[in-house]
């Protein structure tokens, strides 16, 4: 049993160290990097992608920046925004089904924003190359960031209603760029060039996602936020500090995708899955802007011929069902890896689907968590029963263990030897209580991942004061749960749910055999307090799971304890021998 308590202490201290490191070191460092990036974005010119972009002259409001250029609107089922006709850039996108806060009246999530705003984030496309012969002593003119594209009719981009942009240079090259959008978040972008001139032209199509300034991340070590991509069937991740150090990463791949991920949102470029492409991740200048892009090998377009480059852009919420559909129907390689399910992916993803299935049946994610907890308990019921029976017998042996300690005093080796012999005679495994915890630990961490990274948990309400199961309990004991008119600091936000969890943990501890070491006993008494404070910052859904799991465990353990008969230890062989010897002496 002491091994079990040592395991609990070790797990608790490990979590405390990781959380403390994140809060006191990683988060301040990321905030400082953000400040440096904002200063650089306002003072230095932007170097983006393959071509030089315009210098950032001033920071405009998003609304004002959108009125500076001619645009064609996007009016789809789940997104709205516009495409900038200057450069043919996708730089204005709002997610209509998601809001900044649980209140539906709060602002909608802004995903993409144009250059010269506070947080520019956009997708650009273009061509690079040079004519095989000189045309009038000049290289062939190609569309870039300053190109003013034309559109025959300014109809909004809608599902089933694509739009086409056109531009022609003086050398006889006609360029077309069409945009399509589906019912979710997938854009199909097709670039086409027609050579009506008299000279062969070698061209390279490219596309890239550009993000200016270092974004504020959630700052948690269990979640990746930054550049990522599946290259040659393998997931590659580069957070913002890593890109600042490396500067540029290049790789070739066939299939896969690249982009930038936030906790819940993704902007990704997806090429033809059968075409070899060149991938690059970059930070340039240092701390100012981040890029991920793709190109293909140059191709020669002869007079009278055309060249077409088709790709996809995903820009939206990381809804797992949608990502899986794209992987299955479109063949996007491992597209579900955009959701950071971590090392236990093979457990976390199925666990999420079970939880989501229960949510669809019950209509509430909190109820789904409660039912899932019952399923987990049933799954481990036989093992837990065996463990609880062993612990009940150990608790019944506590008086006998105390007598052993009194008898042998400070001889710890003899005490341990006598205890082991006692457990052996009574056929009790002292480490049996550890097994359920060891087996259920991965499930706990997988649930933590599910609650933390899946957008389906975001702003999912429960009942009463819990309006977001992915956020901590918003109440606090230190203002009497809202009765006193002040808001405590974040480190004092210990709500109703964490306190309930702490009480159930204390009750469960009282039902277990108590440590024989007084120092260890005092440490164990502090564990419910420590875990209550720790869980106060955890998602409310996870606290509900843990508290409800404790309640079920207490009920199960109570029933089993009452069923286990009172233990009367068998005498040791040495005691039997002494008793027999004394009996013979008396008879003589």
């Amino acid at each position: 049993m002491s091994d079990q308590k040592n395991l609990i202490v070790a797990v608790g201290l490990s979590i405390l160290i990781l959380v403390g490191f994140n809060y006191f070191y990683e988060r301040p460092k990321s905030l400082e990097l953000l400040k440096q990036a904002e200063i650089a974005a306002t003072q230095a010119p932007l170097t983006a992608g393959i071509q030089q972009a315009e210098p950032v002259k001033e920071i405009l409001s998003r609304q004002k920046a959108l009125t500076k250029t001619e645009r064609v609107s996007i009016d789809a089922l789940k997104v709205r925004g516009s495409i900038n006709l200057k450069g043919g850039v996708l730089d204005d996108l709002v997610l209509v089904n998601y809001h900044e806060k649980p209140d539906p009246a709060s602002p909608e999530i802004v995903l993409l924003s144009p250059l010269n705003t506070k947080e520019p984030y956009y997708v650009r496309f273009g061509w690079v190359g040079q004519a095989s012969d000189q045309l009038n002593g000049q290289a062939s003119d190609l569309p870039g960031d300053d190109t003013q594209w034309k559109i025959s009719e300014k109809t909004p981009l809608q599902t089933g209603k694509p739009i086409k942009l056109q531009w022609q240079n003086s050398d006889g090259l006609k360029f077309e760029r069409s945009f399509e959008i589906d019912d979710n978040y997938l854009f199909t972008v097709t670039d086409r060039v027609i050579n009506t001139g008299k000279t062969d032209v070698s061209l390279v199509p490219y596309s890239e996602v550009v993000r200016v300034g270092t974004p504020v991340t959630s700052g948690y070590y269990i979640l990746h936020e930054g550049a990522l991509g599946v290259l040659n069937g393998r997931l590659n991740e580069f957070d913002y500090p890593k890109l600042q150090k490396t500067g540029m990463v290049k790789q070739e791949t066939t299939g896969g995708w690249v982009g930038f991920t936030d906790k819940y949102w993704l902007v990704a470029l997806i090429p033809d899955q059968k075409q070899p492409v060149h991938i690059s991740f970059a930070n340039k200048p240092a701390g100012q802007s981040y890029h991920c892009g793709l190109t293909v090998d140059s191709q020669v377009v002869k007079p009278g011929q055309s060249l077409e480059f088709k790709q996809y852009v995903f820009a939206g919420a990381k809804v797992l069902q949608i990502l899986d559909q794209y992987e299955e129907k479109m063949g996007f390689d491992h597209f579900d890896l955009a959701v950071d399910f971590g090392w236990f992916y093979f457990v976390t993803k199925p666990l999420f689907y079970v939880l989501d299935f229960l949510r669809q049946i019950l209509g509430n994610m909190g109820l789904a968590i409660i039912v899932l907890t019952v399923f987990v308990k049933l799954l481990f019921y036989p093992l837990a029963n065996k463990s609880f029976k062993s612990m009940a017998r150990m608790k019944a042996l506590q008086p006998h263990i105390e007598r052993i300690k009194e008898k042998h005093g400070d001889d710890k080796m003899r005490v341990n030897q006598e205890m082991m012999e006692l457990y052996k005679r009574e056929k009790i495994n002292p480490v049996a209580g550890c097994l359920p915890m060891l087996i259920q630990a991965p499930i706990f961490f997988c649930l933590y991942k599910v609650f933390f990274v899946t957008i389906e948990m975001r702003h999912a309400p429960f009942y009463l004061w819990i309006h977001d199961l992915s956020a901590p309990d918003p109440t606090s004991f230190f203002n009497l749960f809202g009765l006193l008119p002040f808001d405590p600091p974040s480190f004092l936000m210990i709500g109703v749910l964490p306190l309930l969890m702490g009480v159930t943990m204390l009750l469960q501890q009282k039902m277990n055999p108590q440590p024989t070491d007084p120092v260890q006993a005092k440490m164990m008494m502090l564990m419910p307090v420590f875990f209550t404070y720790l869980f106060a910052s955890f998602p409310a859904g996870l606290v509900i799971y843990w508290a409800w799991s404790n309640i079920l465990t207490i009920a199960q353990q109570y029933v089993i304890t009452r069923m286990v008969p009172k233990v009367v230890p068998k005498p040791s062989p040495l005691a039997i021998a002494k008793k027999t010897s004394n009996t013979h002496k008396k008879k003589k």
Side-chain angles (χ1 to χ4, degrees), residues 187-361:
F187 293 83
T188 303
V189 184
T190 306
D191 268 305
R192 187 167 181 258
V193 57
I194 306 167
N195 188 354
T196 63
K198 300 179 180 180
T199 309
D200 294 353
V201 179
S202 179
L203 295 175
V204 177
Y206 74 89
S207 59
E208 67 172 351
V209 183
V210 181
R211 195 162 200 175
V212 181
T214 305
V216 177
T217 62
S218 58
Y220 288 89
Y221 61 91
I222 67 164
L223 174 69
H224 170 72
E225 293 178 84
L228 82 168
V230 170
L231 310 178
N232 297 313
R234 184 178 178 181
L235 180 65
N236 292 256
E237 297 177 333
F238 304 91
D239 58 25
Y240 298 109
K242 185 175 182 180
L243 277 180
Q244 289 174 356
K245 291 180 180 179
T246 57
M248 174 77 74
V249 177
K250 293 184 178 182
Q251 190 171 341
E252 294 184 9
T253 182
T254 299
W257 49 273
V258 294
F260 288 105
T261 182
D262 297 303
K263 184 175 182 180
Y264 297 120
W265 329 115
L266 172 70
V267 179
L269 302 171
I270 307 114
D272 183 337
Q273 297 296 284
K274 296 181 180 179
Q275 182 179 17
V277 294
H278 304 276
I279 298 296
S280 65
F281 299 96
N283 168 232
K284 49 186 180 179
Q288 183 182 346
S289 63
Y290 302 88
H291 308 254
C292 66
L294 59 89
T295 65
V296 297
D297 292 332
S298 63
Q299 300 182 49
V300 176
V301 187
K302 295 182 178 297
Q305 293 185 348
S306 63
L307 173 64
E308 186 174 280
F309 181 62
K310 182 178 181 180
Q311 62 186 313
Y312 304 93
V313 177
F314 179 94
K318 296 191 293 186
V319 180
L320 184 58
Q321 187 176 7
I322 294 177
L323 300 180
D324 280 343
Q325 287 176 358
Y326 287 138
E327 183 173 348
E328 179 182 353
K329 296 179 180 179
M330 306 291 291
F332 298 163
D333 190 16
H334 291 92
F335 204 43
D336 62 330
L337 294 182
V339 180
D340 187 4
F341 281 134
W343 293 343
F344 293 103
Y345 166 91
F346 57 92
V347 176
T348 309
K349 185 177 178 181
L351 197 62
F352 164 76
Y353 267 124
V354 172
L355 193 63
D356 194 52
F357 175 74
L358 293 173
R359 176 193 62 81
Q360 294 176 30
I361 294 176

Side-chain angles (χ1 to χ4, degrees), residues 452-497:
F452 193 76
V453 306
T454 56
I455 195 169
E456 290 81 356
M457 290 297 301
R458 182 180 185 267
H459 296 173
F462 187 43
Y463 296 108
L464 300 175
W465 68 94
I466 303 298
H467 304 297
D468 186 357
L469 288 168
S470 68
D473 187 328
T475 59
S476 175
F477 170 77
F478 291 94
N479 66 356
L480 299 182
F481 311 110
L483 294 178
L484 299 180
F486 74 93
D487 294 326
S490 58
F491 67 92
L492 294 180
M493 293 297 290
I494 303 177
V496 176
L497 288 179

Side-chain angles (χ1 to χ4, degrees), residues 50-235:
I50 301 173
Q51 297 177 336
Q52 179 72 27
E54 288 185 359
V56 178
K57 298 178 181 178
E58 60 176 328
I59 302 298
L60 305 176
S61 68
R62 189 170 184 277
Q63 196 61 38
K64 187 174 181 180
L66 293 175
T67 61
K68 288 287 186 178
T69 57
E70 189 178 1
R71 296 176 170 271
V72 57
S73 64
I74 301 171
D75 186 14
L77 185 63
K78 296 183 178 180
V79 297
R80 60 178 174 81
S82 62
I83 297 170
N84 193 347
L85 293 182
K86 183 179 180 180
V89 179
L90 179 60
D91 63 354
D92 172 27
L93 205 64
V94 175
L95 309 182
V96 298
N97 292 334
Y98 296 96
H99 299 264
E100 294 179 0
K101 297 179 180 179
D103 184 2
S106 65
E108 296 167 338
I109 293 296
V110 174
L111 185 59
L112 300 180
S113 291
L115 199 61
N116 293 325
T117 57
K118 184 179 179 181
E119 298 174 334
Y121 191 13
Y122 53 91
V123 188
R124 58 198 292 266
F125 318 89
W127 300 85
V128 292
Q130 187 174 358
S132 57
D133 296 321
Q134 296 298 316
L135 301 175
N136 299 322
Q138 299 290 330
S140 183
D141 189 17
L142 300 176
D145 293 332
D146 294 328
T147 300
Q148 189 66 40
W149 291 79
K150 296 181 180 180
I151 185 170
S152 57
E153 185 178 356
K154 276 194 176 181
T155 56
L157 172 61
Q158 298 175 324
T159 304
K161 296 181 179 179
I163 62 169
K164 182 184 290 186
L165 312 183
Q166 297 176 330
W167 182 79
Q168 182 172 348
N169 68 8
S170 58
D171 301 324
L173 294 180
K174 293 182 178 180
F175 294 89
E176 297 176 350
R177 180 172 299 161
S178 65
F179 291 87
E180 303 175 52
I181 188 170
D182 67 359
D183 288 333
N184 294 304
Y185 307 106
L186 190 68
F187 293 83
T188 303
V189 184
T190 306
D191 268 305
R192 187 167 181 258
V193 57
I194 306 167
N195 188 354
T196 63
K198 300 179 180 180
T199 309
D200 294 353
V201 179
S202 179
L203 295 175
V204 177
Y206 74 89
S207 59
E208 67 172 351
V209 183
V210 181
R211 195 162 200 175
V212 181
T214 305
V216 177
T217 62
S218 58
Y220 288 89
Y221 61 91
I222 67 164
L223 174 69
H224 170 72
E225 293 178 84
L228 82 168
V230 170
L231 310 178
N232 297 313
R234 184 178 178 181
L235 180 65

